[in-house]
Amino acid sequence: MKVSYNELKEEFKRVLLARNVREDLAEECATMFADTTEYGVYSHGINRFPRFISQLEKGHIVPEAEPTKVLSLGAIEQWDAHQAIGNLTAKKMMDRAMQIADEFGIGVVALKNANHWMRGGGYGWQAAEKGYIGICWTNSIAAVPPWGAKEPRIGTNPLIIAIPSSPITMVDMSCSMYSYGMLEVHRLAGRQTVVDAGFDDEGNLTRDPGTVEKNHRLLPMGFWKGSGLSIVLDMIATLLSNGLSTAEVSEEKDDEYCVSQIFIAIEVDRLIDGKTKEEKLSKIIEYVKTAERADPDVAIRLPGHKFPKVQTDNRANGITVDDSVWEKLKSL
């Protein structure tokens, strides 16, 4: 079925207000969930919203909490989220990283006691729209077996890198081949994943999303490389924030909250003049796009370049949502 952006946003806001979330916070949070869904990132928009509400009801999310600065070391700051709403806090932290970058050329904000930030790519995009290179990542509860193991001990730990090109070029990737949210998207659509998503119960590679959702044997992105990347991202986030690691979140919490996150903004314009920047970025994009195609009917993919078109199409024609997901939202 299709719904309008405003219908979607008002449903999100209705549910938040019914849980006694302050009106201004409900408005901003509902807007961010609607924006994420309109960009086509259902896994961390409408599909994720019921779990967000569940965590709110359990007290894992403290809606009126305000993040506070713990420590400042010039271009690096430590902050404590105090379990505030994850997407609102992440937006504030990337804004703060850009403010620091205005002074030092680079700004690094390390955040502890954070909640799930929903669509991580939104914060990289936020920086790139304003002309900064945006880099951010988060650790998570143990959800992926490290390479060579059967039991989840590392996080999906998504990493985002956004470049202020035209259009914005952005990598938004989990350290697993698929996030659990994307597995759900494939399962609801009744389709297999495009490449192997994980292992079945017998240890064979599988593209069946439902199997991997149940047994939690996600395949690390790039096999041992993704496993290693997840581990070092967790280590950096833990050290810089003085927050909880994937191990500590997994052993001490009953769900994914109090995670550690990093937000980095780099001011480009003092390093290279605008005309040269645009020329160099355009050269890279054109060089990639004009490679001979493996399949003449399939365009070469540049990361993040699809999102403006997806947003425009959804705003003009309505946002396609799964019937069961919409009914779940309406019932909250």
Side-chain angles (χ1 to χ4, degrees):
M1 65 176 295
K2 285 186 179 290
V3 299
S4 72
Y5 176 91
N6 287 333
E7 282 181 290
L8 194 58
K9 178 185 165 184
E10 287 308 309
E11 277 300 308
F12 291 143
K13 187 173 180 180
R14 173 191 65 78
V15 176
L16 291 166
L17 291 173
R19 270 71 179 176
N20 298 314
V21 175
R22 204 172 69 213
E23 204 280 338
D24 60 319
L25 297 175
E27 171 70 18
E28 188 177 3
C29 186
T31 298
M32 293 188 74
F33 268 103
D35 287 349
T36 294
T37 310
E38 187 180 52
Y39 269 107
V41 189
Y42 300 104
S43 57
H44 292 83
I46 187 172
N47 291 13
R48 178 82 190 198
F49 190 73
R51 184 175 173 192
F52 169 83
I53 293 301
S54 174
Q55 288 194 289
L56 182 65
E57 292 172 341
K58 291 175 182 176
H60 299 163
I61 298 168
V62 183
E64 296 197 16
E66 289 288 342
T68 57
K69 183 163 63 177
V70 176
L71 179 68
S72 179
L73 294 172
I76 304 176
E77 292 183 354
Q78 281 183 345
W79 285 67
D80 189 331
H82 302 294
Q83 296 176 230
I85 294 173
N87 53 5
L88 303 189
T89 303
K91 183 180 178 183
K92 289 177 183 176
M93 294 300 100
M94 186 55 86
D95 278 339
R96 180 56 191 156
M98 287 187 280
Q99 290 172 354
I100 300 169
D102 289 341
E103 181 176 358
F104 296 100
I106 185 170
V108 181
V109 174
L111 181 69
K112 66 180 177 180
N113 294 323
N115 271 302
H116 196 296
W117 62 8
M118 303 305 141
R119 182 198 177 203
Y123 317 114
W125 198 275
Q126 173 186 340
E129 276 189 317
K130 295 181 179 179
Y132 301 82
I133 292 172
I135 304 170
C136 52
W137 69 89
T138 179
N139 65 9
S140 72
I141 201 165
V144 184
W147 189 250
K150 295 170 64 176
E151 181 183 8
R153 288 293 178 92
I154 61 176
T156 54
N157 298 359
L159 170 66
I160 293 87
I161 303 173
I163 311 299
S165 56
S166 183
I168 289 169
T169 303
M170 182 180 72
V171 169
D172 178 0
M173 62 182 191
S174 167
C175 285
S176 55
M177 282 303 300
Y178 290 86
S179 68
Y180 281 98
M182 284 307 299
L183 290 178
E184 180 188 38
V185 168
H186 281 77
R187 175 175 53 78
L188 289 172
R191 62 173 182 255
Q192 300 279 288
T193 56
V194 178
V195 297
D196 293 326
F199 298 92
D200 63 20
D201 295 340
E202 285 72 47
N204 302 306
L205 289 168
T206 180
R207 299 186 182 188
D208 179 54
T211 296
V212 183
E213 277 184 299
K214 289 178 182 177
N215 69 12
H216 301 289
R217 294 189 66 181
L218 273 172
L219 184 66
M221 171 199 67
F223 304 103
W224 52 88
K225 296 179 182 180
S227 179
L229 181 60
S230 170
I231 293 165
V232 297
L233 291 176
D234 179 36
M235 287 178 171
I236 296 170
T238 301
L239 292 176
L240 296 192
S241 70
N242 193 20
L244 298 185
S245 65
T246 289
E248 290 166 319
V249 171
S250 303
E251 292 178 347
E252 298 174 15
K253 306 298 179 184
D254 58 350
D255 201 349
E256 187 177 66
Y257 59 100
C258 290
V259 297
S260 301
Q261 298 172 345
I262 301 293
F263 303 85
I264 301 172
I266 302 171
E267 189 185 30
V268 180
D269 291 343
R270 282 190 281 175
L271 298 170
I272 185 170
D273 70 83
K275 182 174 183 293
T276 305
K277 178 186 76 173
E278 292 302 324
E279 288 174 351
K280 287 185 176 292
L281 290 173
S282 296
K283 173 68 175 178
I284 294 167
I285 291 169
E286 192 62 21
Y287 187 69
V288 172
K289 285 173 63 176
T290 56
E292 184 181 357
R293 296 185 183 184
D295 182 335
D297 297 323
V298 178
I300 292 165
R301 178 172 175 170
L302 283 117
H305 286 205
K306 69 176 182 178
F307 289 120
K309 182 179 185 303
V310 171
Q311 183 192 41
T312 299
D313 288 348
N314 281 338
R315 185 152 291 188
N317 304 313
I319 302 166
T320 301
V321 299
D322 184 87
D323 289 356
S324 65
V325 173
W326 180 250
E327 288 306 313
K328 185 182 292 186
L329 174 61
K330 296 283 284 186
S331 70
L332 290 174

PDB file of all heavy atoms in Angstrom, residues 1-3 46-48 50 184-185 187-190 320-332:
ATOM      1  N   MET A   1       0.842  -1.186   0.000  1.00  0.00           N
ATOM      2  CA  MET A   1       0.000   0.000   0.000  1.00  0.00           C
ATOM      3  C   MET A   1       0.883   1.244   0.000  1.00  0.00           C
ATOM      4  O   MET A   1       2.073   1.172   0.330  1.00  0.00           O
ATOM      5  CB  MET A   1      -0.926   0.002   1.217  1.00  0.00           C
ATOM      6  CG  MET A   1      -0.218   0.117   2.562  1.00  0.00           C
ATOM      7  SD  MET A   1      -1.365   0.230   3.944  1.00  0.00           S
ATOM      8  CE  MET A   1      -2.140   1.795   3.605  1.00  0.00           C
ATOM      9  N   LYS A   2       0.275   2.389  -0.369  1.00  0.00           N
ATOM     10  CA  LYS A   2       1.009   3.651  -0.384  1.00  0.00           C
ATOM     11  C   LYS A   2       0.394   4.621   0.624  1.00  0.00           C
ATOM     12  O   LYS A   2      -0.836   4.682   0.772  1.00  0.00           O
ATOM     13  CB  LYS A   2       1.000   4.273  -1.782  1.00  0.00           C
ATOM     14  CG  LYS A   2       1.932   3.585  -2.770  1.00  0.00           C
ATOM     15  CD  LYS A   2       1.980   4.330  -4.077  1.00  0.00           C
ATOM     16  CE  LYS A   2       2.920   3.674  -5.076  1.00  0.00           C
ATOM     17  NZ  LYS A   2       4.327   3.832  -4.677  1.00  0.00           N
ATOM     18  N   VAL A   3       1.260   5.367   1.300  1.00  0.00           N
ATOM     19  CA  VAL A   3       0.811   6.408   2.219  1.00  0.00           C
ATOM     20  C   VAL A   3       1.601   7.679   1.912  1.00  0.00           C
ATOM     21  O   VAL A   3       2.696   7.625   1.343  1.00  0.00           O
ATOM     22  CB  VAL A   3       1.009   6.002   3.697  1.00  0.00           C
ATOM     23  CG1 VAL A   3       0.204   4.755   4.023  1.00  0.00           C
ATOM     24  CG2 VAL A   3       2.480   5.765   4.007  1.00  0.00           C
ATOM     25  N   ILE A  46      10.024   3.000   9.212  1.00  0.00           N
ATOM     26  CA  ILE A  46       8.764   2.450   9.703  1.00  0.00           C
ATOM     27  C   ILE A  46       8.913   1.036  10.271  1.00  0.00           C
ATOM     28  O   ILE A  46       8.276   0.694  11.268  1.00  0.00           O
ATOM     29  CB  ILE A  46       7.685   2.486   8.589  1.00  0.00           C
ATOM     30  CG1 ILE A  46       6.324   2.068   9.141  1.00  0.00           C
ATOM     31  CG2 ILE A  46       8.097   1.646   7.380  1.00  0.00           C
ATOM     32  CD1 ILE A  46       5.177   2.273   8.155  1.00  0.00           C
ATOM     33  N   ASN A  47       9.760   0.215   9.667  1.00  0.00           N
ATOM     34  CA  ASN A  47       9.898  -1.164  10.151  1.00  0.00           C
ATOM     35  C   ASN A  47      10.519  -1.219  11.540  1.00  0.00           C
ATOM     36  O   ASN A  47      10.233  -2.123  12.331  1.00  0.00           O
ATOM     37  CB  ASN A  47      10.751  -1.989   9.183  1.00  0.00           C
ATOM     38  CG  ASN A  47      10.061  -2.241   7.866  1.00  0.00           C
ATOM     39  OD1 ASN A  47       9.052  -1.623   7.548  1.00  0.00           O
ATOM     40  ND2 ASN A  47      10.610  -3.140   7.066  1.00  0.00           N
ATOM     41  N   ARG A  48      11.394  -0.261  11.847  1.00  0.00           N
ATOM     42  CA  ARG A  48      12.093  -0.260  13.136  1.00  0.00           C
ATOM     43  C   ARG A  48      11.259   0.402  14.238  1.00  0.00           C
ATOM     44  O   ARG A  48      11.509   0.181  15.429  1.00  0.00           O
ATOM     45  CB  ARG A  48      13.417   0.495  12.970  1.00  0.00           C
ATOM     46  CG  ARG A  48      14.257   0.637  14.234  1.00  0.00           C
ATOM     47  CD  ARG A  48      15.089  -0.582  14.522  1.00  0.00           C
ATOM     48  NE  ARG A  48      15.700  -0.517  15.835  1.00  0.00           N
ATOM     49  CZ  ARG A  48      16.732  -1.247  16.222  1.00  0.00           C
ATOM     50  NH1 ARG A  48      17.280  -2.107  15.376  1.00  0.00           N
ATOM     51  NH2 ARG A  48      17.210  -1.160  17.437  1.00  0.00           N
ATOM     52  N   PRO A  50       8.248   0.067  15.704  1.00  0.00           N
ATOM     53  CA  PRO A  50       7.659  -0.688  16.816  1.00  0.00           C
ATOM     54  C   PRO A  50       8.691  -1.114  17.862  1.00  0.00           C
ATOM     55  O   PRO A  50       8.394  -1.094  19.071  1.00  0.00           O
ATOM     56  CB  PRO A  50       7.025  -1.898  16.125  1.00  0.00           C
ATOM     57  CG  PRO A  50       6.711  -1.411  14.755  1.00  0.00           C
ATOM     58  CD  PRO A  50       7.856  -0.509  14.397  1.00  0.00           C
ATOM     59  N   GLU A 184      14.809  -8.408   7.461  1.00  0.00           N
ATOM     60  CA  GLU A 184      13.362  -8.309   7.623  1.00  0.00           C
ATOM     61  C   GLU A 184      12.702  -7.785   6.351  1.00  0.00           C
ATOM     62  O   GLU A 184      11.651  -8.284   5.929  1.00  0.00           O
ATOM     63  CB  GLU A 184      13.030  -7.399   8.804  1.00  0.00           C
ATOM     64  CG  GLU A 184      11.524  -7.252   9.035  1.00  0.00           C
ATOM     65  CD  GLU A 184      11.184  -6.204  10.072  1.00  0.00           C
ATOM     66  OE1 GLU A 184      11.868  -5.157  10.112  1.00  0.00           O
ATOM     67  OE2 GLU A 184      10.220  -6.429  10.821  1.00  0.00           O
ATOM     68  N   VAL A 185      13.316  -6.766   5.733  1.00  0.00           N
ATOM     69  CA  VAL A 185      12.770  -6.214   4.494  1.00  0.00           C
ATOM     70  C   VAL A 185      12.654  -7.301   3.431  1.00  0.00           C
ATOM     71  O   VAL A 185      11.630  -7.429   2.751  1.00  0.00           O
ATOM     72  CB  VAL A 185      13.649  -5.048   3.989  1.00  0.00           C
ATOM     73  CG1 VAL A 185      13.272  -4.670   2.558  1.00  0.00           C
ATOM     74  CG2 VAL A 185      13.504  -3.834   4.910  1.00  0.00           C
ATOM     75  N   ARG A 187      12.557 -10.598   3.943  1.00  0.00           N
ATOM     76  CA  ARG A 187      11.585 -11.619   4.352  1.00  0.00           C
ATOM     77  C   ARG A 187      10.156 -11.152   4.104  1.00  0.00           C
ATOM     78  O   ARG A 187       9.320 -11.909   3.582  1.00  0.00           O
ATOM     79  CB  ARG A 187      11.784 -11.956   5.829  1.00  0.00           C
ATOM     80  CG  ARG A 187      10.733 -12.924   6.384  1.00  0.00           C
ATOM     81  CD  ARG A 187      11.019 -13.340   7.815  1.00  0.00           C
ATOM     82  NE  ARG A 187      11.202 -12.222   8.707  1.00  0.00           N
ATOM     83  CZ  ARG A 187      10.198 -11.484   9.216  1.00  0.00           C
ATOM     84  NH1 ARG A 187       8.942 -11.726   8.867  1.00  0.00           N
ATOM     85  NH2 ARG A 187      10.457 -10.492  10.059  1.00  0.00           N
ATOM     86  N   LEU A 188       9.857  -9.900   4.461  1.00  0.00           N
ATOM     87  CA  LEU A 188       8.507  -9.382   4.261  1.00  0.00           C
ATOM     88  C   LEU A 188       8.141  -9.338   2.781  1.00  0.00           C
ATOM     89  O   LEU A 188       6.977  -9.496   2.413  1.00  0.00           O
ATOM     90  CB  LEU A 188       8.381  -7.987   4.875  1.00  0.00           C
ATOM     91  CG  LEU A 188       8.383  -7.923   6.405  1.00  0.00           C
ATOM     92  CD1 LEU A 188       8.456  -6.482   6.885  1.00  0.00           C
ATOM     93  CD2 LEU A 188       7.142  -8.609   6.984  1.00  0.00           C
ATOM     94  N   ALA A 189       9.148  -9.099   1.937  1.00  0.00           N
ATOM     95  CA  ALA A 189       8.911  -9.063   0.491  1.00  0.00           C
ATOM     96  C   ALA A 189       8.872 -10.462  -0.125  1.00  0.00           C
ATOM     97  O   ALA A 189       8.600 -10.600  -1.324  1.00  0.00           O
ATOM     98  CB  ALA A 189       9.991  -8.225  -0.190  1.00  0.00           C
ATOM     99  N   GLY A 190       9.168 -11.484   0.671  1.00  0.00           N
ATOM    100  CA  GLY A 190       9.137 -12.853   0.182  1.00  0.00           C
ATOM    101  C   GLY A 190      10.241 -13.191  -0.786  1.00  0.00           C
ATOM    102  O   GLY A 190      10.059 -13.999  -1.699  1.00  0.00           O
ATOM    103  N   THR A 320       5.591   3.504  -0.467  1.00  0.00           N
ATOM    104  CA  THR A 320       5.117   2.126  -0.398  1.00  0.00           C
ATOM    105  C   THR A 320       5.534   1.503   0.935  1.00  0.00           C
ATOM    106  O   THR A 320       6.714   1.505   1.291  1.00  0.00           O
ATOM    107  CB  THR A 320       5.701   1.291  -1.547  1.00  0.00           C
ATOM    108  OG1 THR A 320       5.318   1.884  -2.797  1.00  0.00           O
ATOM    109  CG2 THR A 320       5.189  -0.142  -1.494  1.00  0.00           C
ATOM    110  N   VAL A 321       4.554   1.007   1.679  1.00  0.00           N
ATOM    111  CA  VAL A 321       4.848   0.321   2.943  1.00  0.00           C
ATOM    112  C   VAL A 321       4.153  -1.036   2.941  1.00  0.00           C
ATOM    113  O   VAL A 321       3.111  -1.216   2.306  1.00  0.00           O
ATOM    114  CB  VAL A 321       4.412   1.152   4.174  1.00  0.00           C
ATOM    115  CG1 VAL A 321       5.147   2.482   4.232  1.00  0.00           C
ATOM    116  CG2 VAL A 321       2.908   1.374   4.183  1.00  0.00           C
ATOM    117  N   ASP A 322       4.756  -1.971   3.638  1.00  0.00           N
ATOM    118  CA  ASP A 322       4.166  -3.297   3.759  1.00  0.00           C
ATOM    119  C   ASP A 322       2.862  -3.203   4.559  1.00  0.00           C
ATOM    120  O   ASP A 322       2.790  -2.521   5.580  1.00  0.00           O
ATOM    121  CB  ASP A 322       5.155  -4.238   4.465  1.00  0.00           C
ATOM    122  CG  ASP A 322       4.653  -5.656   4.536  1.00  0.00           C
ATOM    123  OD1 ASP A 322       4.887  -6.418   3.590  1.00  0.00           O
ATOM    124  OD2 ASP A 322       4.012  -6.000   5.560  1.00  0.00           O
ATOM    125  N   ASP A 323       1.820  -3.891   4.084  1.00  0.00           N
ATOM    126  CA  ASP A 323       0.512  -3.816   4.742  1.00  0.00           C
ATOM    127  C   ASP A 323       0.587  -4.207   6.214  1.00  0.00           C
ATOM    128  O   ASP A 323      -0.017  -3.550   7.072  1.00  0.00           O
ATOM    129  CB  ASP A 323      -0.495  -4.729   4.031  1.00  0.00           C
ATOM    130  CG  ASP A 323      -0.900  -4.204   2.663  1.00  0.00           C
ATOM    131  OD1 ASP A 323      -0.464  -3.093   2.308  1.00  0.00           O
ATOM    132  OD2 ASP A 323      -1.648  -4.910   1.948  1.00  0.00           O
ATOM    133  N   SER A 324       1.320  -5.273   6.501  1.00  0.00           N
ATOM    134  CA  SER A 324       1.388  -5.751   7.887  1.00  0.00           C
ATOM    135  C   SER A 324       2.129  -4.765   8.775  1.00  0.00           C
ATOM    136  O   SER A 324       1.785  -4.582   9.949  1.00  0.00           O
ATOM    137  CB  SER A 324       2.064  -7.134   7.940  1.00  0.00           C
ATOM    138  OG  SER A 324       3.426  -7.066   7.541  1.00  0.00           O
ATOM    139  N   VAL A 325       3.148  -4.088   8.215  1.00  0.00           N
ATOM    140  CA  VAL A 325       3.895  -3.099   8.989  1.00  0.00           C
ATOM    141  C   VAL A 325       3.012  -1.885   9.272  1.00  0.00           C
ATOM    142  O   VAL A 325       3.018  -1.337  10.383  1.00  0.00           O
ATOM    143  CB  VAL A 325       5.174  -2.680   8.232  1.00  0.00           C
ATOM    144  CG1 VAL A 325       5.874  -1.524   8.930  1.00  0.00           C
ATOM    145  CG2 VAL A 325       6.122  -3.877   8.110  1.00  0.00           C
ATOM    146  N   TRP A 326       2.230  -1.461   8.274  1.00  0.00           N
ATOM    147  CA  TRP A 326       1.322  -0.329   8.479  1.00  0.00           C
ATOM    148  C   TRP A 326       0.276  -0.658   9.527  1.00  0.00           C
ATOM    149  O   TRP A 326      -0.026   0.179  10.412  1.00  0.00           O
ATOM    150  CB  TRP A 326       0.662   0.041   7.155  1.00  0.00           C
ATOM    151  CG  TRP A 326      -0.295   1.199   7.261  1.00  0.00           C
ATOM    152  CD1 TRP A 326      -1.649   1.162   7.147  1.00  0.00           C
ATOM    153  CD2 TRP A 326       0.042   2.575   7.494  1.00  0.00           C
ATOM    154  NE1 TRP A 326      -2.185   2.419   7.294  1.00  0.00           N
ATOM    155  CE2 TRP A 326      -1.172   3.304   7.501  1.00  0.00           C
ATOM    156  CE3 TRP A 326       1.247   3.258   7.684  1.00  0.00           C
ATOM    157  CZ2 TRP A 326      -1.219   4.677   7.705  1.00  0.00           C
ATOM    158  CZ3 TRP A 326       1.212   4.629   7.893  1.00  0.00           C
ATOM    159  CH2 TRP A 326      -0.010   5.336   7.897  1.00  0.00           C
ATOM    160  N   GLU A 327      -0.280  -1.860   9.501  1.00  0.00           N
ATOM    161  CA  GLU A 327      -1.273  -2.257  10.496  1.00  0.00           C
ATOM    162  C   GLU A 327      -0.668  -2.305  11.887  1.00  0.00           C
ATOM    163  O   GLU A 327      -1.311  -1.920  12.869  1.00  0.00           O
ATOM    164  CB  GLU A 327      -1.877  -3.619  10.127  1.00  0.00           C
ATOM    165  CG  GLU A 327      -2.812  -3.571   8.937  1.00  0.00           C
ATOM    166  CD  GLU A 327      -3.918  -2.546   9.095  1.00  0.00           C
ATOM    167  OE1 GLU A 327      -4.545  -2.518  10.189  1.00  0.00           O
ATOM    168  OE2 GLU A 327      -4.162  -1.764   8.168  1.00  0.00           O
ATOM    169  N   LYS A 328       0.575  -2.732  11.981  1.00  0.00           N
ATOM    170  CA  LYS A 328       1.257  -2.757  13.273  1.00  0.00           C
ATOM    171  C   LYS A 328       1.414  -1.342  13.821  1.00  0.00           C
ATOM    172  O   LYS A 328       1.201  -1.094  15.011  1.00  0.00           O
ATOM    173  CB  LYS A 328       2.617  -3.447  13.152  1.00  0.00           C
ATOM    174  CG  LYS A 328       3.341  -3.636  14.472  1.00  0.00           C
ATOM    175  CD  LYS A 328       4.700  -4.283  14.285  1.00  0.00           C
ATOM    176  CE  LYS A 328       4.603  -5.717  13.827  1.00  0.00           C
ATOM    177  NZ  LYS A 328       5.929  -6.392  13.782  1.00  0.00           N
ATOM    178  N   LEU A 329       1.798  -0.419  12.931  1.00  0.00           N
ATOM    179  CA  LEU A 329       1.949   0.976  13.349  1.00  0.00           C
ATOM    180  C   LEU A 329       0.606   1.538  13.809  1.00  0.00           C
ATOM    181  O   LEU A 329       0.522   2.209  14.846  1.00  0.00           O
ATOM    182  CB  LEU A 329       2.510   1.795  12.181  1.00  0.00           C
ATOM    183  CG  LEU A 329       2.595   3.315  12.396  1.00  0.00           C
ATOM    184  CD1 LEU A 329       3.507   3.651  13.569  1.00  0.00           C
ATOM    185  CD2 LEU A 329       3.111   4.000  11.121  1.00  0.00           C
ATOM    186  N   LYS A 330      -0.449   1.278  13.052  1.00  0.00           N
ATOM    187  CA  LYS A 330      -1.778   1.809  13.403  1.00  0.00           C
ATOM    188  C   LYS A 330      -2.281   1.265  14.740  1.00  0.00           C
ATOM    189  O   LYS A 330      -3.060   1.917  15.427  1.00  0.00           O
ATOM    190  CB  LYS A 330      -2.779   1.456  12.308  1.00  0.00           C
ATOM    191  CG  LYS A 330      -2.486   2.086  10.950  1.00  0.00           C
ATOM    192  CD  LYS A 330      -2.868   3.549  10.911  1.00  0.00           C
ATOM    193  CE  LYS A 330      -4.362   3.735  10.804  1.00  0.00           C
ATOM    194  NZ  LYS A 330      -4.725   5.178  10.621  1.00  0.00           N
ATOM    195  N   SER A 331      -1.795   0.064  15.103  1.00  0.00           N
ATOM    196  CA  SER A 331      -2.280  -0.567  16.342  1.00  0.00           C
ATOM    197  C   SER A 331      -1.528  -0.109  17.586  1.00  0.00           C
ATOM    198  O   SER A 331      -1.948  -0.415  18.702  1.00  0.00           O
ATOM    199  CB  SER A 331      -2.163  -2.090  16.218  1.00  0.00           C
ATOM    200  OG  SER A 331      -0.796  -2.496  16.240  1.00  0.00           O
ATOM    201  N   LEU A 332      -0.428   0.594  17.392  1.00  0.00           N
ATOM    202  CA  LEU A 332       0.377   1.021  18.549  1.00  0.00           C
ATOM    203  C   LEU A 332      -0.336   2.106  19.352  1.00  0.00           C
ATOM    204  O   LEU A 332      -1.037   2.949  18.791  1.00  0.00           O
ATOM    205  CB  LEU A 332       1.741   1.530  18.077  1.00  0.00           C
ATOM    206  CG  LEU A 332       2.707   0.490  17.521  1.00  0.00           C
ATOM    207  CD1 LEU A 332       3.969   1.167  16.953  1.00  0.00           C
ATOM    208  CD2 LEU A 332       3.110  -0.510  18.602  1.00  0.00           C
TER     209      LEU A 332
END
